[in-house]
């Protein structure tokens, strides 16, 4: 599954166009490698997403084409959340 689609289905990022924009800026990495929106993700991959001054790392648990709002959080598990200093 494409990275931008997974981010939208899992509701980590609300819109697919926004997911594409963020990944094109180099703010998302898969298993430590900077990823593009078209990168493929698979179960077990770790995504690190930079939201402003915060980096959220999640592990993909399940891939689904569609997910209801209640099911979206089951697609990944939170590994860590860390603040980034602006130094």
């Amino acid at each position: 599954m494409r990275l931008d689609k997974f981010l939208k289905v899992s509701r980590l990022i609300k819109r697919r166009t926004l997911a594409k924009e963020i990944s094109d800026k180099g703010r998302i990495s898969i298993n430590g490698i900077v990823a593009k929106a078209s990168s493929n993700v698979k179960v077990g991959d770790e995504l690190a997403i930079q939201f402003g001054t915060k980096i959220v790392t999640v592990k993909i648990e399940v891939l689904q084409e569609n997910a209801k709002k209640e099911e979206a959080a089951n697609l990944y598990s939170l590994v860590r959340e860390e603040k980034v200093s602006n130094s």
Side-chain angles (χ1 to χ4, degrees), residues 3 7 13 18-20 22-30 33-36 47-50:
L3 173 61
L7 292 169
I13 297 177
L18 185 59
K20 182 182 183 321
I22 290 171
S23 50
D24 288 346
K25 289 182 178 173
R27 291 173 38 196
I28 302 176
S29 63
I30 302 172
I33 301 164
V34 175
K36 296 204 179 305
L47 304 180
I49 308 162
Q50 184 177 347

Side-chain angles (χ1 to χ4, degrees), residues 5-17:
K5 178 157 182 163
F6 176 78
L7 292 169
K8 178 192 172 291
V9 171
S10 67
R11 289 176 168 73
L12 282 164
I13 297 177
K14 298 273 189 265
R15 295 185 320 274
R16 193 165 174 178
T17 51

Side-chain angles (χ1 to χ4, degrees), residues 17-85:
T17 51
L18 185 59
K20 182 182 183 321
E21 202 176 289
I22 290 171
S23 50
D24 288 346
K25 289 182 178 173
R27 291 173 38 196
I28 302 176
S29 63
I30 302 172
N31 299 325
I33 301 164
V34 175
K36 296 204 179 305
S38 61
S39 300
N40 280 319
V41 294
K42 58 188 181 308
V43 173
D45 283 349
E46 275 196 9
L47 304 180
I49 308 162
Q50 184 177 347
F51 294 105
T53 61
K54 189 168 68 171
I55 295 179
V56 177
T57 305
V58 296
K59 183 177 180 185
I60 298 174
E61 301 292 343
V62 181
L63 291 178
Q64 281 181 246
E65 288 298 312
N66 300 314
K68 291 189 173 96
K69 191 176 184 180
E70 304 79 43
E71 301 168 347
N74 299 331
L75 301 181
Y76 62 90
S77 58
L78 185 65
V79 176
R80 69 182 159 274
E81 205 172 302
E82 53 196 331
K83 286 234 180 255
V84 179
S85 61

